[in-house]
């Protein structure tokens, strides 16, 4: 597949997961705490030199923060989304490719 794109995005605040159904039929579930833990922004990655790495799937799967919630989710152009977290963080730009590659359903 040339370009992965979400066909549907749902933020389930009760289960605290982001659910993305991709245009190739794959469905991925991302725990809120895990998404926050693997934030791809320069600050969270430890500087610009560390950016561009794939998400740490083990951290995505295992991160726990029962207080963390997703306040707002917005598209970034046609290639990504950004999330405002309850801890005030909002700088991460989660590209479709970054999220697709981080899928935990594999």
């Amino acid at each position: 597949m040339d370009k992965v794109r979400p066909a549907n995005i749902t933020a389930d605040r009760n289960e605290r997961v982001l659910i993305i159904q991709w245009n190739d039929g794959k469905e991925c579930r991302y725990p809120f705490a895990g998404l926050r833990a693997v934030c791809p922004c320069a600050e969270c990655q430890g500087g610009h030199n560390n950016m561009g790495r794939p998400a740490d799937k083990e951290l995505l799967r295992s991160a726990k923060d029962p207080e963390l919630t997703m306040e707002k989710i917005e598209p970034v152009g046609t290639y990504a989304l950004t999330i405002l977290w309850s801890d005030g963080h909002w700088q991460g730009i989660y590209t479709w490719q970054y999220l697709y590659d981080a899928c935990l359903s594999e």
Side-chain angles (χ1 to χ4, degrees), residues 67-82:
E67 303 299 315
L68 183 75
T69 60
M70 184 182 287
E71 300 291 323
K72 186 162 52 166
I73 185 170
E74 293 184 340
V76 176
T78 59
Y79 69 96
L81 55 83
T82 187

Side-chain angles (χ1 to χ4, degrees), residues 35-36 38-40 79-81 83 85 92-96 98-99:
L35 277 178
R36 175 64 183 90
V38 298
C39 175
Y79 69 96
L81 55 83
I83 301 167
W85 298 105
I93 296 175
Y94 298 80
T95 66
W96 302 142
Y98 182 81
L99 290 167

